[in-house]
Amino acid sequence: MKTYGLLGKNISYSLSPCMHNAAFKALGIYASYKIFDTDEKGLESFFFSLKKGDIAGCNVTIPYKERALSFVGSNSSAVKTIGALNTIVREDGALKGHNTDYLGFMMALKGKRSGDLNFDPDGKNVFMFGAGGAAKAIAYVLSNVLGAKRIIIADVDTEKADGLASYIGENAARDITIAVAHDKEQYNDFIANSDLLVNATPCGLKDGDPELFDYRYVEQKHYVFDLIYSVKTPLMKRAEYQAANAIDGLNMLLYQAARAFEYWTGCEAPIDIMREALLEKMQK
Ligand code: NAP
């Protein structure tokens, strides 16, 4: 039996095993997907097993998406630009890094399935909260692939936001305006002039989290993409109240997993089965 899995730290909450194991079962693939909850000291031995083939392929999550780059032999061009990977594929004994987070975001953003946003950002204005790992992948796809006109970034860590803004500016394949909203007082004007609002922070996950911005400024015209999927955030509640088009991060999670599955197996991922497994697990 082949073993795949998720490398990360403190990740027992992960929903990835239920999706991948349901997909293996549905396609009759003799394989299983496990959690590899590993501290820094365990990384060498994890990658030794991966190189040897004891582990056939893996996903990588917090806090190793960047650290893992030093263990793989080559990377896709997206990984090179984003600077982080979330999927590793063994090819003839060598390890190659991929990033399926950006694909998951893109598919959920533009898709037309239930839970997709059905929004085309070409020529549109985006306000993105967060400048961490997920934000980097999103900024890459919006600026390099999907042709957004303007991206405004806001993060509690303004240095990080500045860093991401310069990074996108330097790597953008097309003309794009990038700015950082340093001051909360600037937010409302930017929001009023944005088409898409993205929450790529963990803010809203816990009761008592601060507001990202004054949610009264969400209007019906806005498209809202909140990457959080485990709870309905105050931003999502406000968007629903305003009858704005809004999605959480569930389909992004599903699509990044589906693409990783396809890289490993060469088989089309049974998306509906993976989604069902995900929803069933979340209800427990
Ligand atoms: P990350 O690397 O920690 O980045 C999050 C960033 O948001 C950090 O820079 C953080 O600043 C900032 N932040 C926190 N609270 C904020 C606030 N109130 N206003 C503005 N900025 C704030 O995390 P990540 O990996 O990018 O993940 C971000 C979120 O997306 C998490 O909730 C994660 O679960 C979710 N996610 C979902 C998917 C999916 O498939 N649906 C995929 C990836 C990530 P500090 O570091 O200073 O706190």
Side-chain angles (χ1 to χ4, degrees), residues 62 130-135 154-157 160 200-203 210 212 227-229 249 252-253:
I62 291 173
D155 193 294
V156 279
D157 184 337
K160 220 188 219 176
T201 81
C203 184
L212 284 166
L227 266 64
I228 293 172
Y229 49 81
M252 175 176 172
L253 180 75

Side-chain angles (χ1 to χ4, degrees), residues 13 61-62 65-66 101 104-105 129-136 138 154-158 160-161 184 187 199-205 209-213 225-230 248-256:
Y13 61 85
T61 190
I62 291 173
K65 287 184 179 183
E66 288 161 3
D101 281 336
F105 175 80
F129 292 88
K136 222 168 164 188
I138 290 168
D155 193 294
V156 279
D157 184 337
T158 49
K160 220 188 219 176
K184 277 205 162 185
Y187 286 10
N199 177 21
T201 81
C203 184
L205 204 50
D209 277 350
E211 286 198 327
L212 284 166
F213 63 95
F225 194 141
D226 194 325
L227 266 64
I228 293 172
Y229 49 81
S230 48
D248 64 16
L250 195 78
N251 276 18
M252 175 176 172
L253 180 75
L254 172 68
Y255 296 143
Q256 63 75 30

